[in-house]
Amino acid sequence: QLQLLESGPGLVKPSETLSLTCTVSGGSISSTDYYWGWIRQPPGKGLEWIGIIYYSGTAYYNPSLKSRVTISVDTSKNQFSLKLSSVTAADTAAYYCARRESSGNYFGCWGQGTLVTVSS
Amino acid sequence: DIQMTQSPSTLSASVGDRVTITCRASQSIISWLAWYQQKPGKAPKLLIYEASSLESGVPSRFSGSGSGTEFTLTISSLQPDDFATYYCQQYNSKVVFGQGTKVEIK
């Protein structure tokens, strides 16, 4: 059974870089069928797509975040990662990693999410 | 950019009720629409994709319909486990979510 698990610091200072990793188990991140993505949700608010990456390293980002976001993949560890630079309080959110399905840009399997707070 | 608008924002209903949630796109997204259910403190769960295809394992009381710019999620007979927030998501152009509809107990 596929499982995704986010990990990383729960507290990041303003202007610094948020870094999270998603570890995939029960399946290979190198599958040619899927992309792997990040979605976030500020407390009490809706969902925002951050971006997706293919095992080859090809990535696509939300235009509103593109200048600050980097998503990378490590196939040897079955992991993919998110870096968000120059964070502010507005980046405080639960961050989810998820698998984008083969038939379209929607997400069929999600991690449990991790809350990242931006505060000094 | 495509905007997604859900209505209502909150819906009060009783167990056994038929519930309908609407999602409107600012331009045609053909049938590239998904629906998710989210409970407090949990990740979203995929219910419907391609507007009307039921995800494996999702109860048949959930159904989706629509094309173009107007879509609906229907729960035929609301169950206690269905009280949650529901989101639509378009994937015709990039990925955009609706703002959510909270289904609460009447």
Side-chain angles (χ1 to χ4, degrees), chain B:
Chain B
D1 292 355
I2 297 175
Q3 307 299 321
M4 305 300 293
T5 304
Q6 288 183 235
S7 60
S9 296
T10 305
L11 186 161
S12 298
S14 301
V15 172
D17 284 353
R18 181 180 181 88
V19 166
T20 299
I21 299 168
T22 298
C23 181
R24 290 187 174 87
S26 58
Q27 63 190 74
S28 176
I29 57 170
I30 311 174
S31 293
W32 304 124
L33 185 96
W35 289 97
Y36 300 86
Q37 176 194 67
Q38 186 180 33
K39 296 181 179 179
K42 301 294 186 181
K45 173 188 174 183
L46 178 68
L47 300 175
I48 303 282
Y49 60 94
E50 207 171 328
S52 60
S53 296
L54 192 67
E55 172 71 350
S56 177
V58 174
S60 59
R61 63 181 180 272
F62 291 93
S63 64
S65 64
S67 65
T69 62
E70 187 152 337
F71 302 85
T72 59
L73 173 70
T74 299
I75 309 172
S76 60
S77 178
L78 196 66
Q79 299 301 301
D81 192 48
D82 301 338
F83 292 98
T85 299
Y86 294 84
Y87 293 93
C88 62
Q89 177 230 313
Q90 70 84 15
Y91 51 100
N92 180 66
S93 174
K94 297 289 192 296
V95 171
V96 178
F97 291 90
Q99 82 278 16
T101 295
K102 182 178 182 180
V103 177
E104 61 180 25
I105 300 172
K106 190 172 184 179

